[in-house]
Amino acid sequence: MRPTLDLPALLETYETERAPVGRSVLRFTDRAFTIGTSRNPAIRFARTRLAPRLAPLALRATGPRGRVFRTVSELGIHYRHSPASTAGSRPPRSGPRAGDRLPDLPRGLQARTAGTG
């Protein structure tokens, strides 16, 4: 976050950041609900007969599986283009960038580093 950004200016970034994310989540859940509740025979056939057979095959590939996981879990959401996120004069070549979600802790590290309470 930019150190010179004051609280009112930070609050002004909320709409810019969250509105596109909200629209995306609503669009995804609306489509999933429509498909899941449709009485259209073709959609019901695809949902009950084709999807159970094709989904495991499609998700064997790590690329599609990763995209599906990041979409459903919302872990792929980032704010790289937020007015509150700046990359600085020398952004890193790899790893998290300004506006990214930080990666999870390695397995077991949290238990060793977390305090009690």
Side-chain angles (χ1 to χ4, degrees):
M1 196 163 70
R2 287 191 294 194
T4 59
L5 200 63
D6 61 358
L7 185 56
L10 178 61
L11 292 175
E12 289 296 321
T13 69
Y14 184 82
E15 181 70 20
T16 304
E17 293 175 345
R18 293 300 298 169
V21 171
R23 282 192 296 273
S24 176
V25 170
L26 285 174
R27 192 171 40 250
F28 177 78
T29 55
D30 183 55
R31 287 179 185 160
F33 180 79
T34 299
I35 291 169
T37 60
S38 177
R39 294 183 180 193
N40 178 301
I43 294 175
R44 287 181 67 187
F45 177 79
R47 181 182 68 229
T48 60
R49 304 285 187 211
L50 294 179
R53 291 189 173 112
L54 296 178
L57 297 174
L59 295 177
R60 280 187 188 163
T62 57
R65 185 175 59 231
R67 279 190 296 280
V68 168
F69 175 77
R70 286 188 301 277
T71 300
V72 172
S73 66
E74 298 182 14
L75 294 176
I77 296 172
H78 65 81
Y79 300 99
R80 291 179 184 164
H81 305 293
S82 165
S85 298
T86 59
S89 59
R90 293 179 16 181
R93 292 180 191 214
S94 63
R97 295 186 288 180
D100 282 356
R101 178 185 180 276
L102 290 176
D104 291 333
L105 291 172
R107 185 180 172 117
L109 182 61
Q110 184 176 9
R112 293 191 303 267
T113 60
T116 59

